[in-house]
Amino acid sequence: MNGSRLTVKLPLLPRLAVLGLLALTASGWSVAAGGAASSPAPTLGDALFPGLGQLGLDVQHYDVALSVDRPGTAELRGVVTLTLGSTRLLPTIRLDFTGPEVGAVRWNGQPVPFVVEAGAQKLTVTPPASLRPGETARLTVEYGGRAGTVTDPDLGLDLGWEGVLEAGTNYTLSEPHGAHSFLPSNDHPADTATFTTRLTVPAGFTAAASGVEDLIAEGAEARAGRHTFVFHQARPIPTYALGLHIGHLERVESPAVPVGPGGAPVVRRDYFPMGTPDRVRAAYRRTDEMLRALSGWFGPYPFAAYGVAVLPPQVDVPALETATLSTMPVESSNEQVALHELAHQWFGNAVPLRRWADVWLNEGFATYAELLWTEAQGGDGPAMVRRWYARLQSRGTRPLVAATQEELFDSTAYQRGALTLHALRLAVGDAAFRDFLHTYTARFSGGSSSNNAVDTADFLALVRERVGAAGEAAVRPWVFDVGLPPLPVGEK
Ligand code: TRP
Ligand code: ZN
């Protein structure tokens, strides 16, 4: 809080009598200021991102309505309603937000006082009464202007809401903490939530988002000169995994694939910028086979839809596993990266992290999936394993749990994480390894409350439970040793 810039905001009321406004100022603002300044609500306490999130807050659902009048610019308007629950008494709600200017905040429909702390990237709201465990409330935030920025020093990227003016395109790229540049949120994967997303764009543009498109709702919302696209993300995901795309996009449908729970059909749709050449689209021709291969190893595909949204050719960023709709730059449009992002739908999106330090549980598993796919193609698996090992030898390595933000997406998270799983597999055999993976995804996915997230201790406990001492002995050096353990040897 110290040194942070406080911007005081009152609810944007309809042109009320000045006296009425002053009355609200006197009673409302002092409560908000006192509460926020003297004892800010504790954050989630993530060791690598100590400012993120609010302890005890459980956002169950985000109803997100965003309007973009000039695609490609940073301008947007939003009306977002969060359905809030809590696991402790919350006198204030302190969301992550560095987005456009907030005009109004409502609590169950009634205007309430709020404070924007630009430095802390927080929006603090004082409800009429504390939110109690077991209660739910609806918190609505209206905002408009230019999207905020969250710069990631490690990746050298501006995270969150992105735009490409020449292409008339906007998209989101939020991992790990960029979502609050456009979405007031509890911006941490330990608090996953469901989403309804309405994207309103000028006629002629197409919008896409994580989840299943709701054509019936769209029909009801059509207006002259604009089109609203509506999407339901019915299973909880982390905020960073919300994928949004606006542009001159072509939506390509393919036959559904029966790899959901109980063989449920998974809707298949991909989005390509108009004029995307065939060599780029070719990377995505085998998504159906990839879904079948990976669900065999990991268990049912966790969401109702899957596909990719390809970015315009001007954009040079890494690919990101946005839920149900991986975000793929042209440069990364190859089968290996496509497979990697698909694997994250299980590892990261359905099974969320409890804390960022354990990001190897995302990246190591998704990297390991590349080996499973290579083997299924009759490719040279051992060569891939040797390349991973050589990379760690040349770049250096560390224990799996990351100690700094800079370590989050390094080769230890990816290649050492993958080799940890390889060591486990070689120690216990394919059948037990497959059983372990199925149990892991089933046990740690699905809920919106924080006990469905996973950390390294959960991983080790499940290894012990499912495959016993031999498995645990094989993975422990990979998890804990400072140096690089010997290359695991075996058939694979
Ligand atoms: N999770 C991404 C992957 O598939 C890597 C990543 C981390 C990323 N943060 C990002 C990609 C931000 C794009 C933007 O490995
Ligand atoms: Zn990854």
Side-chain angles (χ1 to χ4, degrees):
M1 273 294 291
N2 277 342
S4 71
R5 200 152 49 84
L6 275 185
T7 312
V8 180
K9 287 287 168 180
L10 282 166
L12 244 195
L13 297 170
R15 318 219 175 283
L16 270 189
V18 172
L19 270 181
L21 192 61
L22 284 177
L24 186 86
T25 306
S27 61
W29 153 237
S30 61
V31 174
S38 57
S39 58
T43 69
L44 273 173
D46 188 293
L48 301 190
F49 295 92
L52 286 183
Q54 180 177 9
L55 189 66
L57 180 64
D58 175 16
V59 181
Q60 293 160 5
H61 182 76
Y62 294 87
D63 187 293
V64 182
L66 298 180
S67 301
V68 173
D69 296 332
R70 302 199 299 144
T73 69
E75 289 162 34
L76 74 154
R77 286 176 288 124
V79 181
V80 174
T81 297
L82 302 83
T83 306
L84 303 179
S86 70
T87 56
R88 49 159 68 195
L89 190 71
L90 301 179
T92 60
I93 306 299
R94 196 157 177 254
L95 300 173
D96 300 298
F97 193 52
T98 174
E101 190 176 350
V102 178
V105 177
R106 293 188 290 277
W107 184 265
N108 292 326
Q110 298 306 309
V112 285
F114 62 95
V115 178
V116 174
E117 298 162 56
Q121 307 195 346
K122 294 286 184 180
L123 167 63
T124 300
V125 176
T126 306
S130 295
L131 183 63
R132 296 170 184 284
E135 275 179 4
T136 57
R138 282 176 303 110
L139 175 64
T140 302
V141 183
E142 288 188 15
Y143 52 97
R146 293 176 62 83
T149 47
V150 175
T151 304
D152 188 298
D154 174 31
L155 295 164
L157 285 173
D158 274 348
L159 297 174
W161 186 259
E162 315 276 341
V164 182
L165 199 54
E166 316 86 84
T169 289
N170 292 101
Y171 59 95
T172 57
L173 210 61
S174 302
E175 191 184 14
H177 60 320
H180 66 278
S181 72
F182 64 93
L183 182 72
S185 51
N186 200 28
D187 197 7
H188 192 283
D191 187 13
T192 57
T194 56
F195 288 80
T196 301
T197 306
R198 289 166 239 277
L199 297 173
T200 300
V201 295
F205 286 85
T206 296
S210 293
V212 175
E213 190 166 7
D214 183 344
L215 294 165
I216 295 169
E218 284 171 21
E221 298 214 19
R223 258 179 234 109
R226 291 204 185 157
H227 192 94
T228 299
F229 295 81
V230 182
F231 304 87
H232 297 291
Q233 173 63 45
R235 285 199 55 178
I237 56 167
T239 46
Y240 75 80
L242 178 69
L244 308 178
H245 290 265
I246 294 167
H248 295 290
L249 304 173
E250 180 187 348
R251 182 182 194 272
V252 180
E253 253 180 69
S254 306
V257 189
V259 292
V266 173
V267 170
R268 283 278 301 112
R269 79 284 183 256
D270 300 292
Y271 293 85
F272 301 101
M274 295 292 182
T276 298
D278 276 354
R279 62 176 166 75
V280 173
R281 297 175 194 240
Y284 309 107
R285 295 235 166 86
R286 302 179 67 195
T287 302
D288 171 321
E289 288 167 72
M290 291 176 180
L291 277 163
R292 291 172 197 270
L294 291 190
S295 60
W297 279 104
F298 303 154
Y301 176 78
F303 302 114
Y306 189 68
V308 298
V310 173
L311 293 173
Q314 296 91 334
V315 185
D316 181 20
V317 294
L320 184 63
E321 64 265 28
T322 31
T324 81
L325 187 65
S326 293
T327 300
M328 306 297 300
V330 167
E331 280 296 306
S332 302
S333 289
N334 60 67
E335 274 183 15
Q336 187 171 334
V337 179
L339 186 285
H340 178 106
E341 305 312 331
L342 171 58
H344 274 305
Q345 304 303 319
W346 285 265
F347 304 107
N349 293 354
V351 177
L353 298 176
R354 195 187 301 287
R355 37 171 226 180
W356 277 110
D358 295 311
V359 73
W360 79 271
L361 294 166
N362 289 2
E363 299 305 343
F365 279 67
T367 302
Y368 199 71
E370 297 171 32
L371 177 65
L372 298 173
W373 175 249
T374 297
E375 289 174 359
Q377 304 314 298
D380 192 345
M384 180 175 269
V385 171
R386 285 194 300 272
R387 279 200 303 277
W388 292 344
Y389 197 79
R391 191 177 167 100
L392 292 165
Q393 284 178 311
S394 69
R395 301 207 172 184
T397 184
R398 56 172 174 83
L400 277 183
V401 176
T404 64
Q405 285 187 22
E406 290 65 40
E407 288 179 350
L408 279 177
F409 300 101
D410 66 4
S411 44
T412 292
Y414 285 75
Q415 280 80 31
R416 182 169 173 153
L419 286 168
T420 304
L421 296 174
H422 197 53
L424 175 62
R425 180 184 178 195
L426 292 183
V428 304
D430 279 10
F433 183 60
R434 186 188 302 262
D435 166 84
F436 170 82
L437 292 170
H438 278 244
T439 309
Y440 178 91
T441 57
R443 184 164 306 173
F444 299 117
S445 71
S448 92
S449 60
S450 46
N451 50 20
N452 288 288
V454 74
D455 65 17
T456 299
D458 295 318
F459 167 81
L460 285 169
L462 192 65
V463 168
R464 210 173 303 130
E465 176 190 319
R466 301 306 294 192
V467 298
E472 200 191 347
V475 299
R476 283 189 76 88
W478 286 93
V479 175
F480 294 114
D481 284 7
V482 173
L484 187 60
L487 182 64
V489 286
E491 298 294 291
K492 295 292 176 294

